[in-house]
Every structure is written in structure tokens, then in C-alpha cells.
Amino acid sequence: MKLMILDGNSVVNRAFYGVGYLSSRSGQPTGAIYGFLNIMQSLLDEEHPDALCVAFDEKGPTFRHEEYEGYKATRKPMPEDLASQMPILKEILSAMNVPMYSLSGWEADDILGTAGKICGSEGWDCVVVTGDRDSLQLVDVHVTVKLVTTKGGRTQSVNYTPQVFESEYGFPPKGLIDLKALMGDSSDNYPGVPGIGEKTAKDLMAKFGSLDNVYANAEDDSLKPAVKRKLAEGKESAYQSYDLATIRCSAPISFTPEDNRIRKWDRAKVLELFRQLEFGRLIEKYRLLEPDEDSTPAEETKLNVIEVTTPETIAELQSAMRFIRPVGVAVTEHLDGFALAVGDTVYTALETDLGLVDYPLLLEQLWGTDVKKICHDSKSIRSELLRRGIQADGIEYDTALGAYLLEPARSRYNPTDLAQQYCGRTLPEDLSGQAAAVLALGTALPKLVRANGMEAVYRDIDFPLCPVLAEMESTGIAVDKNTLESFGAMLSERIRDCENLIYGYAGGPFNINSTKQLGTLLFETLGLPHGKKTKSGYSTNIDVLEQLREKHPIIPAIIDYRMLTKLHSTYAEGLLKVIAPDGRIHSTFQNTVTATGRLSSTDPNLQNIPVRTELGGEIRKMFVARPGWVLVDADYSQIELRVLAHVADDKAMQDAFCSGEDFHTHTAAQVFGVAPEEVTPQMRRSAKAVNFGIVYGISDFSLAGDIGVSRKEAKAYIDGYLSHYAGVRQYMEDVVKNAKESGYVESMYGRRRQLPELHSSNFNVRSGAERMALNTPIQGTAADIIKIAMIRVRDRMMREGLQAKLVLQVHDELIVECPETEKDTVLSLVTEEMEAAASLKVPLIAEAHAGQNWYEAK
């Protein structure tokens, strides 16, 4: 039999610092709980114990504090973000029927030791899980210490048996107490022998084997005089440290291994707690919504599922489509199946069952104007329907958009998860359950969106944008395949040239893509200056390489090699793989991914093609108009800065934009106190960096790195900027203050983003949230404006009967494909509609150009 006992405080600390900051929408920190539960589950999967329990420290002093006043005196108190999670974690463990042990005046270490000793006496094996090496003294024939470490959210562990310990330390596990007595412990703050460090302590242990033997041989001729003196002066301290380091295996707890047998959870209680903490993935992982052998899930909804396979059921489905109120609809990924929910009756229809006549007919009827529908992710549905030649009509509400507005930082919007959270309904994960979930959400979400002041964002921006995006995905953008293949061949040749150059400097071939091999070459073979070496080797990231650019000619070659291989794999190879049979690339535009409201592009991502490099320009030349057509490219001029001038109501910034001068030159002139004509290129670059960086809460450290000046100079630039643009300074103070009070920030149109991290006790987490508070209203407003512009441009082109089509959006840039004969009309139309998309206190400027390819149009 095997019992596993967790050092609760040790494991939860590693979870807290390893996972990072997570919180529920209410602002309750959850990262430590989430991490602890995942660590515990991975340990259970590894060890398969018969019994499980957790030991926790109690608040207040222990007998060790009474013995030595300085014991653990340097330990910082538990962060509030972690302390607030401890009661909830213990409530979850209780619901999981995991016994917990703690004892006033004693440490969890002593409980671990006592449990291990009792296990041994009763013939059980015991696995002690901790991140504290002090517990290695407990290792014996019945006790294994599983030492855990957590980094970057990943947990690793080593099982210490007597053999493993001795192979690493060279003496038995109990000798760890003697080692600690000699070297002390800075973490627990007991001194050991002052002046004796870890190396000397290990040498003494290797030579004499124990503290008693060390002092029995304290005058040994082999010892250095300094060591003899330190031992003599520190004897009392050594034996006191020995006592402090010794884990007591006789804590007065009532403990038998059998009492800790793994038992069934109180599933309803665990589910309730997980819902409160918004642990959707854990609910799914532990299948808490499914019945176990002895119970039925809380609030289980019984559905009347009718499979549509016969003429009679087809007629019944068609009748249901004419229901007076909206029906809930869920679809498969490629629209080869759908489910329609009317109350708790759900009809499911599959193309494989109905065939190529009945199914398309039902699909066309379902998505007609006459059927009022609530659906989930209407953009994707519209896009798939367009591939089948069907226009979607009659959509009353999109539950994915509603949930996205309420929780824009959420990672996934599964309908049944959302129905549990917002409607308290437990539904199956299949297509019928999703349709029922969508129907329920169609009632709950509109009310919540309205209550949170985002009804207009939904109605005027996000929902009407869906058909625009679907049409863009369906249309795609043409690619010159032959030119792209030639570009790839050119890159391959340049990559080979770089390889040969690098091998020449290196003295022979090696794996350039291996960080370890490259680090060894640069910092050991070539002797270039390097940063700290870690267990994984030297860092060779781009920041490190840029600092070394002038140190050796191999460095520019390596930088070029990395750039070329990235371009080759991502674009030359990557784009060729996704050219459809029609010769066009049909990117997917994600409208429920970014927390700020920005659109993103995937499969492939066409929004991150390099703009400012020569090769980036070459890639844009591959995107072409069809014969007889042109591409029209229009983008906003400095939209985020113009939004900042508006929302901050900064008169000086507004005057600068209204004057028509180059804004960066104007800013440089004001900050540096010179006439505009005296502004140097370097002054303008610095002003530009501050202009754009200020929106993101840039620090003097970051600005200094961006423009190559000292932190002092960078701080002077920022201070000068904020002195001139006092309205911006006030805005930056107000937006963070208001966000801390309300818990959220919002765009000019009311799009909200919750920021519970603003109240984190962790400085880095809190500072990051403050930067988000500064940037989100600006970036979110700019994102809303470009979405409004897309809707206006598409609608006007349709109204005027043009053949022109929107084909791409890249943040502040729109690309339209149109016949040559419509070029002038579209140039004027796109400019007008983009500039009329928002009414700001400064001009909203859009600039449009046309060309045969994206590069020419840009």
C-alpha cells in the first residue's frame, strides 16, 4: 500500500509563482488553486497512490520560533493574492474528500515526518511531495521524497530514495541535518557555523560523516586553521542549528494511513466551486457534468432529441422551423450537420443520413429569412454557407459575440460551458446539447450585455461586421504562385550563402538552429561576451545577438540567417501550402480572440507580414489583383494618436493635428524647444517613439533601448512630452485610477475589458495591468473605428452596385479589389467612408492608393 502526502504550503507556493496571475471575473485570484490542482493530478497520475492527504502550516509561531528568535525571520509574509486563495483551496480539497492535517505550534514538515514514520511502522510506503530539500532527511526504506519544482507553469519532480540521495550527497539522508547544522539555512534563517559555507560543509561531511564526528576531530591536522577557528567559535550555533533543522517525527496528530484512502468526491460541491472560480477546463477534464455510478449531475436537462432521417421527421423539422419565437441552432464545423432546438425538443440532421437532395434543401430553408435563429459564431457559419452558395438570413442573435463582449479575455467560448455559467443548465456536449445551450444563452446574454452597457457595441459594430468578414473569407485574395516560388528559391540560395559564411567563421559545419551548439561556439570557442549561463546553456536570442553585432562578423550572418529562414518557412513555403484551387488565399478573420477588440488573421496570418523591410515588400508583391482589376489600399494616419488626442481631450495635441503639420515633427519641436525647421531626424525619431510608446505606457528603460539613449535622457523625453501634453498626463492618471475603482476600462463606444490584475499584490502583474488600462481604451477605440469603417465601406459598395470587394484588413488598413473601371470611385468611396466612421475632435485621415499588387497599392 502507498500513501502520498503533500506539503501543502510548499506545493501551493510553487503553483502560485509558477502559473502566474489568474483570476475570476469577480476579481478573485485563482492561479495558485488552479496550479495546485493540476500539480496534484499529475502526481496522482505518476504515483497511483492508495491514499492521499495534505499537510498545511498553521498561522503563528512554532516551538522552533520559541527556541530561536530569528527562526524564519527573513521570510516575507504570504502575498495577499495567495492568502485569499488558501481557504478556497481547502474547501475544494474537503469537497474532494482529501484529508488535511495541521497542528498549532508545529510545522507541516513535522506532520510529513510523523506520517512517514507511521506509514513505515504499519507496512505502508509513503511518498512525501514537497519543494523543500529539508524534507530529504526523511528518506528511508519506506519513505520516498518527491522533490517538485515548477517553472513556466510546468512541474518537474525527482524521486529521492536512499540510493538516489546517497549518490548525490555521498552520505545517508539523515546526514542532511548535520550538513544544515554546519552550513546553516538562509531560507529558514538559522546560522549554522558562521563562515562555513556549503562547499566546506560538504567536505567536512565527506571526511567525518556527522556533526559529532566533525567536532570530535575539530583539531585534525588536515583542517585549515581558519576552519578550526570557525568550528570552535560556532559550536553552540551548530548544535542549535542541528536542533532547528531536525524534523520531528512525533507530532501529536491522530493519523493512520487507512483513514486517508482515496474516496469519491462530493461532485456537486466541487462543480459548484469550479463554476464560481470559472474553471471550465477542469470541469471538462474531470467530467463533472456527467453522471458517475452513484449520482446524477445537478440540474441535468433532459432533451427530447429527434433524429431527422425520414420524410415524417423532415416534415416535423420544417414545421419547427416556423416556430413563432427564435430557435437555437448549432452546426458541425463544415456544416455537414446541424441541430435545431425548440424548448427542450431538439432536431438533429446529418448530411450523411439525408443525402445530397434533402439535406441542402433543409439547409437552405433553415438559413432563409423566414426562420428566426439564435446561433453561435455566425461569422463562421456565414462563411461556410457561402462556400455552399447560401446566403444566411434571419439570424436574431449570436451567442459567441455576446459572451465575447462580456469576457473578451476568455480562451474559448464553448456553448455548453457558457450555458452552465450563465444559465445554470447542464447539457450534453453533443450537437443537440449545443443547440439547447445556444437557445438558453440567447435569452440570458442579451440582458447581461445590455446591463454592462455594450448593447450598442453588439448591435452597431460586432454583429453587423460578421457578414462582412464572412464575405472577405469567401472572396480571399489572389496570389502570384510562380513569383512566390521564385521568391522561395531566392531565399533558399541566400540561406545557403549565409550557412557557408557562418561555417567559414566557425571552422566547420554545426547545427545553426541549435541554441546549445550556437551558444558554445559564440561564447566558448569564439570567446564573445555573454550573459549568465543557465542549465539549458547560453541565451542566443535576437537581443543578445544585436548587442554582439559589432563584435564579430559571424553575428550579422547569423541574424540574416534567422531572418531568411523565418521568411522562407512562414511565407515562401507557408503561403504556397494554403493557396486554394481558385488561386487565392482565404484567411480566417478571428473576431472573438483579442481582449482589446482587434481582429486577428489566421490560417494564414496575413497581418504580420513585415512592412519596413525590403523582403517584406517583396512578399506584398505576391498578393495581386485578378486580371483587369486593381487593389485599393487605404489606411488611417496615426489613428491611435488621434484617438488619444480625443479621449484625453488634450488641447495641445488636438491643435497639433488640426494644424496639418507633421505630428512627430511638431511634437519634437515642442519637447526640444526648437523651431519645426530645426528638428533633426534624430529628434523626430525620438518624438515618434515617445508618441507611439506613450499609448502603451512605455517606461524610460524601454524607450532608452528603442532609441539608443541613456535612461536619464529617455526620462527627460517622456517628462518633456507629458509636460507639453498635460491632458495626456491627466488622462493616464485618471484612466488607471478609474479602472481600479470600477474594475474595468472601456473604449469610446463602450467595449469593456475587466482588469482584476490591477489589485494584484505582485508588482509586475499590477504594472502590466496598468499598461493595459492605458492602452486598451485607445487600441479598443481604434479597433472599433476600423470595424465601423469596414461595415460602411462594404454596405456602400453594395448600395452603389459595385463589383468591388473587401479582401483584407490589417489593423488600420483596408484592402479592396475592384475592376479597373471602378478604381477612382472606390478610391474616393473608401476614403470618405473611413474618414466618416467616427467623429473625433481632430481630423480622422485616411489615405488610399491603387496598384496591381499590394506593394504598389501601399
Side-chain angles (χ1 to χ4, degrees), residues 394-619:
I395 299 175
E396 299 267 309
Y397 199 79
D398 184 330
T399 54
L401 291 178
Y404 169 64
L405 285 172
L406 294 171
E407 297 182 77
R410 192 179 181 125
S411 59
R412 62 198 295 263
Y413 298 91
N414 180 283
T416 51
D417 288 348
L418 294 168
Q420 296 153 20
Q421 178 179 334
Y422 289 107
C423 310
R425 300 195 73 185
T426 300
L427 293 158
E429 285 287 338
D430 60 16
L431 201 59
S432 64
Q434 290 178 36
V438 167
L439 183 61
L441 290 166
T443 300
L445 294 182
K447 296 175 184 176
L448 291 169
V449 169
R450 189 180 308 117
N452 281 272
M454 289 185 284
E455 185 177 27
V457 178
Y458 175 90
R459 182 191 64 237
D460 300 334
I461 302 176
D462 284 10
F463 186 63
L465 183 68
C466 289
V468 181
L469 296 176
E471 289 166 13
M472 290 168 64
E473 291 178 358
S474 177
T475 303
I477 186 167
V479 177
D480 186 334
K481 185 176 180 181
N482 292 333
T483 305
L484 187 57
E485 288 174 339
S486 299
F487 180 68
M490 179 273 291
L491 288 177
S492 295
E493 185 176 344
R494 288 184 60 174
I495 289 168
R496 285 193 295 272
D497 290 342
C498 275
E499 285 176 339
N500 292 331
L501 189 60
I502 292 166
Y503 294 156
Y505 289 126
F510 68 101
N511 184 356
I512 304 171
N513 296 314
S514 166
T515 300
K516 185 174 182 181
Q517 291 185 33
L518 183 61
T520 301
L521 169 73
L522 296 180
F523 306 121
E524 294 182 10
T525 307
L526 298 180
L528 297 176
H530 59 81
K532 185 178 180 181
K533 185 178 181 181
T534 64
K535 290 181 180 179
S536 58
Y538 302 99
S539 172
T540 61
N541 63 30
I542 188 62
D543 292 335
V544 171
L545 294 180
E546 285 292 352
Q547 291 175 12
L548 297 173
R549 185 183 280 274
E550 307 299 326
K551 303 291 185 182
H552 194 287
I554 196 173
I555 301 298
I558 293 169
I559 293 173
D560 286 348
Y561 172 85
R562 286 189 177 175
M563 180 266 294
L564 292 167
T565 53
K566 176 72 186 302
L567 287 174
H568 189 273
S569 63
T570 304
Y571 301 110
E573 289 181 342
L575 293 179
L576 283 171
K577 291 176 183 175
V578 293
I579 298 176
D582 62 1
R584 302 172 78 87
I585 286 177
H586 299 268
S587 183
T588 299
F589 295 96
Q590 303 286 359
N591 59 337
T592 59
V593 171
T594 69
T596 60
R598 266 190 167 191
L599 296 174
S600 64
S601 161
T602 58
D603 304 321
N605 183 355
L606 298 181
Q607 294 189 332
N608 68 347
I609 292 174
V611 177
R612 295 178 178 83
T613 65
E614 178 185 345
L615 290 174
E618 291 298 316
I619 295 168

Side-chain angles (χ1 to χ4, degrees), residues 791-802 829 833:
I791 296 165
R792 293 176 64 102
V793 167
R794 176 258 197 181
D795 288 354
R796 183 169 165 192
M797 291 191 303
M798 289 183 67
R799 284 198 311 271
E800 296 190 9
L802 301 177
L829 179 155
E833 294 304 329

Side-chain angles (χ1 to χ4, degrees), residues 360-371:
L361 176 63
L362 285 173
L363 203 61
E364 195 161 351
Q365 289 174 345
L366 172 62
W367 294 101
T369 307
D370 294 339
V371 184

